[in-house]
Amino acid sequence: MPEYPTALGASTPDTITLLGHDLAADVMGEVGFGELAFWLATQRRPSPGEVRVFEAVLAALADHGFTPTAIVTRLTYLSAPDSVQGALAAGLLGGGSRFLGVTEDCGRFLHEVIVAHDPLPAEEPGWDALALDTVRARRESGRLIPGLGHHVHKNGDPRTPRLFEIAEEEGLLGPHLSLFAAIGRVHPQVLGRTLPLNGAGVCGAALADLGLPLELLRGFALLARTAGLIGQLAEELRRPVANEIFLSVDLNNRSIPPEPFPSPDGGSHD
Amino acid sequence: MPEYPTALGASTPDTITLLGHDLAADVMGEVGFGELAFWLATQRRPSPGEVRVFEAVLAALADHGFTPTAIVTRLTYLSAPDSVQGALAAGLLGGGSRFLGVTEDCGRFLHEVIVAHDPLPAEEPGWDALALDTVRARRESGRLIPGLGHHVHKNGDPRTPRLFEIAEEEGLLGPHLSLFAAIGRVHPQVLGRTLPLNGAGVCGAALADLGLPLELLRGFALLARTAGLIGQLAEELRRPVANEIFLSVDLNNRSIPPEPFPSPDGGSHD
Amino acid sequence: MPEYPTALGASTPDTITLLGHDLAADVMGEVGFGELAFWLATQRRPSPGEVRVFEAVLAALADHGFTPTAIVTRLTYLSAPDSVQGALAAGLLGGGSRFLGVTEDCGRFLHEVIVAHDPLPAEEPGWDALALDTVRARRESGRLIPGLGHHVHKNGDPRTPRLFEIAEEEGLLGPHLSLFAAIGRVHPQVLGRTLPLNGAGVCGAALADLGLPLELLRGFALLARTAGLIGQLAEELRRPVANEIFLSVDLNNRSIPPEPFPSPDGGSHD
Amino acid sequence: MPEYPTALGASTPDTITLLGHDLAADVMGEVGFGELAFWLATQRRPSPGEVRVFEAVLAALADHGFTPTAIVTRLTYLSAPDSVQGALAAGLLGGGSRFLGVTEDCGRFLHEVIVAHDPLPAEEPGWDALALDTVRARRESGRLIPGLGHHVHKNGDPRTPRLFEIAEEEGLLGPHLSLFAAIGRVHPQVLGRTLPLNGAGVCGAALADLGLPLELLRGFALLARTAGLIGQLAEELRRPVANEIFLSVDLNNRSIPPEPFPSPDGGSHD
């Protein structure tokens, strides 16, 4: 028979352990939820400073109002109120490349630069030089810099300086945040205009500095968002808007004739 | 134009607010993640004691090892590694009536009894009398008592006394927990055998005592489980078992002839 | 080792079978998709008449324009364009009790009446008498009749007579449809007004008459809707509306102060 | 107010239209389900030959036995039997890059080659020359050829010749299938060994030849799989295996100590 090793939850008739600890005695009442989420993902207990930075990231990502994910959760609950799990899952499925993916993309992008440079700069001028090379190379290959720019907070995303500040206070301003900050300082020299370092990007940099698995950075954004979507459902229960959203679309539909695809003039797939 | 009111996330070019507070200044770095999740769901900031009970519940529900939800998340990631959101959503979809639903069912069941009794008992004997009536009525209608019994922890679920203890320490042992405890004391008189009060049930009682919306009790179990599923994915990345699970099923398939439905002898749908 | 029996797909290095048939030789090119879906669900090959009724039901349920499920699929694709499976899954998650559930509820409701009556009526007057009893009993218990009424097609749902006609043509107008038709004739005597038999309801009756598993009637509605949601995505690719839907909500948000729950005056959970 | 144009479902109190046709009169009972799915995706009614090829593809992809998607759907139903939509959605979420993605990847890959060559070859030798260039270029860039190779059907996937045959019969063997066939003939010259053209790949080629939107090729695989997953659920209802699968994993778990990440010796994220 195959065996399936795990360090996560396990139980016997008399005990329940989680990560090798007695769940009832050592975890319940002793470990905060952010701390536990970090611990589950890394199998090491974070320091209080790490927890503070991690929870600041989760707070930054938990809810951004009427995003597509929030609207989707509310509409799905309207349509299938018997399944809270379905409403939450539907909302999380919007957590892909466009709306929640910046966190992961930014963390990965910074990490690729960092692992390719040894030794890393010790001081700000060194980071600026590395950032300048990075932004130039990225620009030459025609690709955007993840984490740069915001469609609303054009003059600066208030989450960004705050997260730098918290990381600094906790002594956790590591290479990913350092490089990200340097990109914020030098990119105008290359791009010819000043863009804000956005909140999703700085969160990715901070999560990478915490040593969390890069493949799952999007997962932490989704964890934060799960709390936000529960908040959306709780508000929907008391101040429903989903039916009005639905009607605002349905009543403004405009019937048009079918448009055959591919087009009759031989227009291509694209 | 319709308007969509919300007290959750909102932003202007220069500010971001959440629940009426400045996100960067007042929430990030100041509010723990469990605390924030509670706040989002109730729109009121919980006390430290409420946070401790709430996070103890989340810890109790975060991960139970190789549950169907954990297996599903791992298999979905195996099959579609490009979509972490899909793997997490798939796992959460198992959070329905059977595996994660006890928390909600128990909270609702206790609440129904409580709202129907005014005034509520002040002392243990009074709770025992109410519990006895409740168990008897339930039994006579042929229905099970939510939260009673466990297929593994037959002599007692270690989470249950611990959660009572934490609630007691924080002065938050309210009517739902009181009634649940009384059911634990009196049910042998009616059922003729002693069953444990299970962990999922006591979590439902505690969440109800915290005043969280009953319609969303399952949602909090899902929030806890999201952290657990991220842990499952993190472990899968380093110690993969999903492919072996898949093969252990696929290689042990046994081809049988089709069995027409409904059966040819006119057997009914059921 | 456990074994897992199945009559569905199986393969060896040289062959692939499905339902005991050679997939390449006997299924591909020979079996239509509606026919195959029926066969997979019942493990018996349907007659051409059964296929025609079944596919008429799927056509009736495939797409209803800008329903919540359609909006959800479009918004999820906007937010996570990397995951078509996520966009489709999110849309299907709206297929619950309210929007797609009538089909299942109606099929089950009719079936419960039918299995409780032996012998069943042979003629219209007998069905009318049974329907009258059924509607009266339902009304006395304060419950609605599934499949009766429509918020738009108040004078009659055009799908309903058409599906009766197709079933009649194919000799497949069985007891569920007969009872449903009788309910349409007699309910005004009890309710005091005439309501249309709606399309979702007649679909449930027809699927039940085809002998499909009642537990999965909702599943057939979801299969039909999957085709519809692909159509929604295809249209979204060429005539995108999701971003405008999102903005129409987000830009019309109205920030309100938090409303603590439960309310400070001790308002209950409900 | 914004307007949302659509050629899909629309209704007035007296009529329901779909793709500009009267749903009840012109679609129900007249249009097969595969035909309708094609029509919805392209807004043009396919020819009978196109329908036959399309439905052959759907048959080829509908069910492959105990795949991760099938196991996931069964486990999710075990865990949340109240939500058929959740069980189906969870299974579909496995339809990503690894298990169902070959169809899409292969169609896109072939299409990229084809749009870059004008005029296209008219005869087999010309296709072989183009295929040889294509395989060589792909190999030099270190990338695999989508649709080439199968872990079980090492000597040939029986679906592949059958689909070529059906397309040939219907006069629908277009450039994508022609190039794919040529790759099958010439790749041993470059790779030094003969690999089978797999079924998922040939399905992608056939769907691309039908002119279906490339962005949604995965969607058609998911439509086919929805029918298969309903079959899996129907079988699970009568011959349940999900609980045994769950127990075969859970009872063979092996508790191991946590493995801190990143590793204490400074091992990197990767």
Side-chain angles (χ1 to χ4, degrees), chain B residues 1 79 82 94 97 238 259, chain D residues 1 79 82 94 97 238 259:
Chain B
M1 291 292 278
S79 190
D82 45 316
S97 55
R238 291 190 291 152
E259 300 174 312
Chain D
M1 291 292 277
S79 190
D82 44 317
S97 55
R238 290 190 291 152
E259 300 174 313

Side-chain angles (χ1 to χ4, degrees), chain B residues 187-205:
Chain B
H187 75 271
Q189 297 177 43
V190 183
L191 306 185
R193 58 189 179 132
T194 303
L195 294 169
L197 295 175
N198 64 44
V202 76
C203 287

Side-chain angles (χ1 to χ4, degrees), chain D residues 19-32:
Chain D
L19 296 156
H21 290 260
D22 185 301
L23 172 67
D26 300 337
V27 182
M28 289 172 65
E30 305 297 319
V31 180

Side-chain angles (χ1 to χ4, degrees), chain C residues 85-156:
Chain C
Q85 71 268 28
L88 293 175
L92 294 180
L93 288 171
S97 55
R98 200 168 297 166
F99 271 76
L100 286 186
V102 176
T103 296
E104 181 165 322
D105 294 344
C106 189
R108 284 176 180 273
F109 159 67
L110 297 169
H111 193 70
E112 276 168 30
V113 176
I114 284 165
V115 294
H117 283 78
D118 187 15
L120 288 167
E123 306 287 338
E124 206 167 274
W127 284 111
D128 284 3
L130 177 56
L132 206 52
D133 287 350
T134 301
V135 173
R136 279 196 183 120
R138 190 89 178 175
R139 199 196 191 179
E140 274 160 26
S141 70
R143 290 182 298 164
L144 298 174
I145 314 284
L148 206 54
H150 196 285
H151 66 294
V152 173
H153 307 298
K154 294 184 196 299
N155 298 318

